[in-house]
Amino acid sequence: MRDLVENEEFTLLPDLAVRPLGGAVIWADDEFFAEKENLINPGPADYRPSTFGHKGQIYDGWETRRHRGRPGDDSAIVRLGVPGVIRGIVVDTAWFTGNYPPAVSVSALEIDDYLPADSIAAHDDWVVLIDRSPVVGDSRNLFTVESEKRWTHVKLTMHPDGGVARLRVHGEGRPDRRLLGIGPLDLAALENGALVLDCSNRFYSSPNQLLYPGLARRMGDGWETARRRDDGNDWVHIRLAGPGMIRLAELDTSYFLGNSPGAARLTGRTSDGTELELLPRTALLPDTRHRFPIAPMAASVEEVRLDIYPDGGLARLRLYGELGA
């Protein structure tokens, strides 16, 4: 397999379409050989040779029938788990060699109403993000997106037919602003607009998973660093959903037993760069949801740094509070 674009920086951003974030493939005009839902499964596509069902070789992806003169192209629509700004898209044709599409295009739509899938498919406001472009089989085909608009749905179109293993839609969450401030707010939730800006190490898994909704279901659902062999410590830097006052911090080490951090510290940063200690260095237990009240703050913070000592893994980070003025 090979990459068509050398710059993969946007792939460090969260995949807004992935199933664990609540993404769903809501519509496709054909899925004769392989189900559309496979497009957004977490993890790379799998392949087992000589595994045949009633419709042929079983593929871990989305595959349509051969057109045989049937007009038009094949499309699938994904409702993003986290609506947001899209920075790049990966059309992964892993394991599709003689049956991948010659070309693809991607369009997007912003619509917060809960409409039936057929109505969304027939919507006339779709905006092209990626023009019809050639793709290569058994490859991660990368495309950058130049748009600052917020999107809720994407449509992948194959020209004319074939199979795609995975669709990754990397970007930054942008919530429905009408819903913010109604009840307790997790200022560190990806779906509310928080974003990992940087981290010291992402050897085993992405730090973006710290900000995922729901509880982790296994160790691989969190953030885990490599073992350190020096005197330093690992850290992650997060931009909050907006400047806010944090009242409660939850540091969840669920499923991390022999590899949980020994301790952690939280530091906030205000808009003028002032640093505020939110949680002093505090011992952590393995496989535990720790909840720490945060003392009243002197000012709203817009960024947070989580230091773990010396290394290890966390399942989730929650920072509950309210948006500042």
Side-chain angles (χ1 to χ4, degrees), residues 198-212:
D198 199 4
C199 75
S200 58
N201 185 279
R202 57 183 85 227
F203 185 84
Y204 286 109
S205 50
S206 170
N208 290 306
Q209 297 187 142
L210 287 173
L211 315 185
Y212 274 22

Side-chain angles (χ1 to χ4, degrees), residues 17 88 114 161 167 179 245:
Y114 298 100
D161 54 38
L167 178 67
L179 303 180
M245 308 291 284

